[in-house]
Amino acid sequence: MDFDLNDEQRMLKDSVEKLLGARYDFDTRRRISDSPEGFDREIWSAFAEMGLLALPFSEDDGGMGGGPVETMIVMEAFGRALVVEPFLASVILAGGILRRAGSSGQRAEHIAAIAGGEKLYAFAHHERQARYDLHDVATMARADGEHYVISGEKGLVLSGDSADRLIVSARTSGNQRDEAGISLFLVDAKAEGVSRRGYATQDGARGAEVTFDNVRIPASALIGTRDEAFPVIARVIEEAIAALCAESVGVMADMHEATIDYMKVRNQFGTHIGSFQVLQHAAADMFIALEQARSMAMFASMMVQEEDARERARAIAAAKVQIGNSCRFVGQNAVQLHGGVAVTMEYKVAHSFKRATMIEKLFGDTDHYTTRLADLGGVIGE
Amino acid sequence: MDLRFTPEEIAFRDEVRAFFRENLPESIRTKLTLGKHFSRDDMVTWMRILNAKGWAAPHWPVEYGGTDWDPVQQYIFREELLAAPAPEPLSFGVSMVGPVIYTFGNQKQKDYFLPRIRNMDDWWCQGFSEPGAGSDLASLKTRAVREGDHYIVNGQKTWTTLGQHADWIFCLVRTNPDAPKKQMGISFLLIDMKSPGVTLRPIQTLDGGFEVNEIFFDDVKVPAENLVGEENKGWDYAKFLLGNERTGIARIGISKERVRRIRRLASAEKAGERPLIENPRFREKLAALEVELKALEMTQLRVVAEARNRPSDKPDPASSILKIKGSQIQQATTELLLDVVGPYALPFTPEEEGRNEPPIGPEWAQMIAPNYFNTRKVSIYGGSNEIQKNIIAKAILGL
């Protein structure tokens, strides 16, 4: 057992933090978030040059061969800086699908495009009625000779408005809520019949509603085995949750530090408010919630590579519950301890709080995963 | 970074687990599983089994009869012990006064007391708290006045756990009432419980048990050679002792064992047509508790791993997290057990040796309410959770 980073991991951490420190301060982040595209292509290129976009891919696929710990390091730094660039969408989600299920030809073409930062990818999976059920897919893909024809609507496509290519889940057999019968397809975002409605998210990033109206794609656009995409989707969402857990730790750590710093300089009643015990205890409780979340983010990173699907599912569910609880607690208290300044758009804690709140809602919230963990028989084991 | 146990660590865990399985007397294991109190003889028996194996005080330096295990192995040993479930080696000896003696005591004290602690030849108890000195421990008033080769001790200690079994008590006493700060006039004194002038009054705790006592000192003559370290430096030794106490205080192994028990009992206990474990509200409370416990286990492992890089006399202030969350989770497990037992929480069955009347209601139910009541203490002792938050605020957050 070893909690220390190795030399390469430390270097990765230092270089990401240095880059963000130099080029991603809060004012820059606000400007980027408010820009028409909602992210900065120059920063994206800088991520690519540093190798971040190639991080989780195997060396055979032209990647850096990084594992969950490397992803954790990057995501935590992104959380601190509230990075809005489409790393989760393009590298973790779409890249994760391609990495796990793509043919050698698909990997050669598309992983190279993701890792080099030349093209942006997004994962068009979630539908309005599905809530948090990954198997609830109504979008249809009908075989038509050497083609498939896709029709349906996807609601929450993260970073979907600027994506060049979409990975779309669609039903090729079975009923709407069957795990079997789901397939994955690569679709050009500008293909005929694809229409997109981009929107801002609460936390300063971007999403899109994407409608597929008889979109005709060649059979070669199928990723992985027809009808058997569900385990791939579930696995990649688990990886995305582990990444989000790490991001949330960065978000919370930054909020907590800002709160402590503020408590040391904000004077009321003739002294700094950090001298008041009731506020000290709130800050201590935030610290505990943060450290418990950090522990579970590490646990998630460790367990996301576990081969036993049930053990892995228990661990990811448990981590998401802890992260959700901690995000709420740390976020709400960071705002409370700051007082008025934190309920304005001018102050970073407000933005961190919003991101922390939305992280809880992504890919299954605290209630969802508490129920799921209960169904799985808990996380303590025999 | 690799958070899994290495094959060597797993082999060590299996060795420890097998030893407990083969050597822990079944009668003791059963008492612990049912939440019953074990007797003085049970503790002595178990400590001697451990001592014969060289495991009575594994965290001590090898030269004093400890082991060369690293912090991870220490952690594994302790958690396996709690999960067995086996009695924890009496903390007042091996975890509290022992390390103070080998760190600050003189050679004669080390030679005499340390082997006796390991073999449970002496039962130790703790004389820190007083009626007027709880969280504000440094305001203690028990007075020790030097007269020739002796100190004359007068005063009162309280909350003395298992003092009724004790041969010795380690005490914080005031040796200089005129020191500029109240922390600066305190000394650390070892007192033989058989000394004339020591009297003990049991205090019945809310669960009906007899665990704590008041101890009165009335002109007790204590040889000056029983002073540990320097006179008026006792507060430093006490802080050292309390820091050590906190690292072990999360008691994750106990909580894990209780969670498993909750799951077993709730699977057997019917609530309406179905087992209680199928009640959505109950199962989700249990799942939520398991998440907190798992997170704390990982936090504990982080503190343990960090301990490899930390001088052993500098406890990690993060151990305050372990105290706070560990005590909350222990309390939550006893609360869930109370939910499992339901109406049969009500009958009170006195715990008496040799009692052979059948209990009212199921046997497993008897101690659940008493354990729940008794476990309220864990967020109070060892520096209350509020004090722990003060420590976090000051030592970690710099407020």
Side-chain angles (χ1 to χ4, degrees), chain B residues 26-202:
Chain B
E26 194 51 44
S27 61
I28 299 180
R29 187 199 308 270
T30 306
K31 280 187 195 173
L32 263 85
T33 303
L34 291 174
K36 294 188 176 181
H37 292 95
F38 44 84
S39 67
R40 188 186 204 280
D41 285 349
D42 290 336
M43 176 59 95
V44 172
T45 302
W46 177 233
M47 279 294 284
R48 289 187 178 162
I49 290 170
L50 288 175
N51 196 33
K53 177 78 178 168
W55 289 0
H59 55 291
W60 289 11
V62 175
E63 57 176 315
Y64 303 124
T67 66
D68 58 0
W69 297 345
D70 72 11
V72 176
Q73 289 174 298
Q74 302 284 0
Y75 168 80
I76 290 170
F77 173 79
R78 198 182 147 75
E79 292 308 317
E80 288 300 321
L81 181 98
L82 295 176
E88 293 176 73
L90 190 71
S91 61
F92 309 107
V94 296
S95 298
M96 296 187 187
V97 75
V100 168
I101 289 174
Y102 66 65
T103 307
F104 306 106
N106 60 36
Q107 195 59 45
K108 199 175 153 197
Q109 290 166 340
K110 293 181 199 177
D111 291 344
Y112 179 76
F113 287 114
L114 296 178
R116 298 177 60 83
I117 291 172
R118 280 189 281 112
N119 202 47
M120 205 84 223
D121 296 332
D122 297 324
W123 186 294
W124 282 88
C125 65
Q126 179 180 25
F128 277 22
S129 295
E130 297 180 4
S135 288
D136 181 16
L137 183 59
S139 68
L140 59 91
K141 289 196 173 67
T142 297
R143 186 83 169 90
V145 178
R146 181 76 182 252
E147 281 184 12
D149 294 343
H150 288 83
Y151 288 98
I152 305 298
V153 178
N154 280 288
Q156 181 189 349
K157 295 291 176 182
T158 191
W159 311 131
T160 312
T161 301
L162 302 178
Q164 68 266 39
H165 303 319
D167 303 298
W168 284 83
I169 181 168
F170 56 91
C171 285
L172 292 179
V173 292
R174 188 158 302 283
T175 37
N176 179 7
D178 305 319
K181 282 181 71 182
K182 59 188 176 182
Q183 286 83 357
M184 291 165 70
I186 294 170
S187 297
F188 196 101
L189 206 54
L190 312 178
I191 302 177
D192 188 336
M193 288 289 284
K194 290 185 293 293
S195 312
V198 177
T199 48
L200 179 139
R201 185 184 80 85

Side-chain angles (χ1 to χ4, degrees), chain B residues 191-252:
Chain B
I191 302 177
D192 188 336
M193 288 289 284
K194 290 185 293 293
S195 312
V198 177
T199 48
L200 179 139
R201 185 184 80 85
I203 302 172
Q204 189 174 25
T205 44
L206 78 175
D207 56 328
F210 289 92
E211 211 175 53
V212 293
N213 303 274
E214 285 182 302
I215 298 188
F216 301 88
F217 299 90
D218 188 10
D219 284 332
V220 178
K221 234 176 132 177
V222 179
E225 63 185 25
N226 289 356
L227 176 76
V228 177
E230 291 177 49
E231 201 177 77
N232 298 326
K233 288 277 166 64
W235 186 251
D236 293 342
Y237 314 148
K239 278 197 300 187
F240 165 85
L241 179 153
L242 291 170
N244 287 340
E245 189 185 4
R246 275 194 288 277
T247 52
I249 218 156
R251 290 193 167 71
I252 286 160

Side-chain angles (χ1 to χ4, degrees), chain A residues 74-143:
Chain A
V74 172
M75 289 303 290
E76 185 175 339
F78 282 4
R80 279 184 172 273
L82 296 177
V83 166
V84 290
E85 277 62 25
F87 186 82
L88 187 71
S90 200
V91 177
I92 303 293
L93 288 170
I97 299 267
L98 287 161
R99 181 162 60 86
R100 293 199 166 272
S103 66
S104 58
Q106 286 168 337
R107 294 203 309 277
E109 181 187 349
H110 299 291
I111 288 180
I114 292 172
E118 295 114 35
K119 297 282 183 207
L120 295 171
Y121 288 64
F123 183 33
H125 176 58
H126 185 266
E127 299 178 7
R128 173 69 184 87
Q129 80 287 346
R131 195 171 168 84
Y132 294 129
D133 290 338
L134 296 176
H135 53 270
D136 191 330
V137 174
T139 297
M140 299 293 290
R142 177 170 50 82

Side-chain angles (χ1 to χ4, degrees), chain A residues 15-317:
Chain A
S15 46
V16 178
E17 285 174 357
K18 206 168 142 193
L19 174 72
L20 296 173
R23 296 182 56 182
Y24 217 90
D25 65 15
F26 173 55
D27 289 336
T28 310
R29 191 265 185 190
R30 280 192 75 188
R31 201 164 53 242
I32 292 171
S33 175
D34 290 343
S35 69
E37 277 202 310
F39 73 101
D40 183 345
R41 288 188 185 265
E42 285 181 24
I43 288 286
W44 193 245
S45 300
F47 289 168
E49 277 161 36
M50 192 178 265
L52 300 186
L53 308 185
L55 198 63
F57 303 112
S58 73
E59 285 164 19
D60 288 347
D61 288 338
M64 306 286 283
V69 174
E70 282 73 17
T71 300
M72 180 177 87
I73 289 166
V74 172
M75 289 303 290
E76 185 175 339
F78 282 4
R80 279 184 172 273
L82 296 177
V83 166
V84 290
E85 277 62 25
F87 186 82
L88 187 71
S90 200
V91 177
I92 303 293
L93 288 170
I97 299 267
L98 287 161
R99 181 162 60 86
R100 293 199 166 272
S103 66
S104 58
Q106 286 168 337
R107 294 203 309 277
E109 181 187 349
H110 299 291
I111 288 180
I114 292 172
E118 295 114 35
K119 297 282 183 207
L120 295 171
Y121 288 64
F123 183 33
H125 176 58
H126 185 266
E127 299 178 7
R128 173 69 184 87
Q129 80 287 346
R131 195 171 168 84
Y132 294 129
D133 290 338
L134 296 176
H135 53 270
D136 191 330
V137 174
T139 297
M140 299 293 290
R142 177 170 50 82
D144 181 13
E146 292 297 296
H147 288 79
Y148 284 98
V149 179
I150 301 181
S151 288
E153 276 181 36
K154 299 290 184 179
L156 297 172
V157 183
L158 298 178
S159 308
D161 55 347
S162 53
D164 301 295
R165 293 188 179 116
L166 301 170
I167 292 175
V168 186
S169 60
R171 193 156 284 291
T172 36
S173 69
N175 296 314
Q176 185 184 317
R177 289 180 54 81
D178 291 348
E179 288 187 3
I182 302 170
S183 304
L184 291 163
F185 300 94
L186 257 166
V187 179
D188 193 294
K190 296 198 171 63
E192 199 182 331
V194 176
S195 52
R196 288 187 283 179
R197 185 173 163 217
Y199 52 83
T201 55
Q202 296 288 345
D203 49 11
R206 302 283 304 175
E209 225 174 36
V210 185
T211 306
F212 299 86
D213 182 10
N214 287 305
V215 178
R216 197 174 168 80
I217 49 167
S220 61
L222 176 72
I223 304 171
T225 310
R226 182 184 154 139
D227 288 340
E228 292 176 18
F230 179 75
V232 177
I233 294 169
R235 189 81 198 253
V236 169
I237 294 297
E238 285 174 336
E239 288 172 342
I241 289 172
L244 272 183
C245 289
E247 183 189 347
S248 79
V249 169
V251 175
M252 284 187 270
D254 186 63
M255 278 194 284
H256 187 244
E257 282 165 26
T259 305
I260 300 303
D261 290 345
Y262 187 75
M263 288 169 75
K264 289 174 181 168
V265 297
R266 170 71 176 165
N267 283 293
Q268 288 288 276
F269 303 103
T271 183
H272 64 287
I273 62 171
S275 65
F276 302 140
Q277 192 178 43
V278 70
L279 303 191
Q280 289 178 355
H281 284 199
D285 286 332
M286 287 170 72
F287 176 73
I288 295 170
L290 164 63
E291 291 306 316
Q292 291 282 82
R294 191 189 301 279
S295 293
M296 287 307 265
M298 289 175 165
F299 183 59
S301 292
M302 171 176 81
M303 292 299 288
V304 77
Q305 45 192 343
E306 164 68 43
E307 285 308 317
D308 182 329
R310 192 176 171 85
E311 286 302 311
R312 195 173 64 236
R314 290 174 170 193
I316 295 295

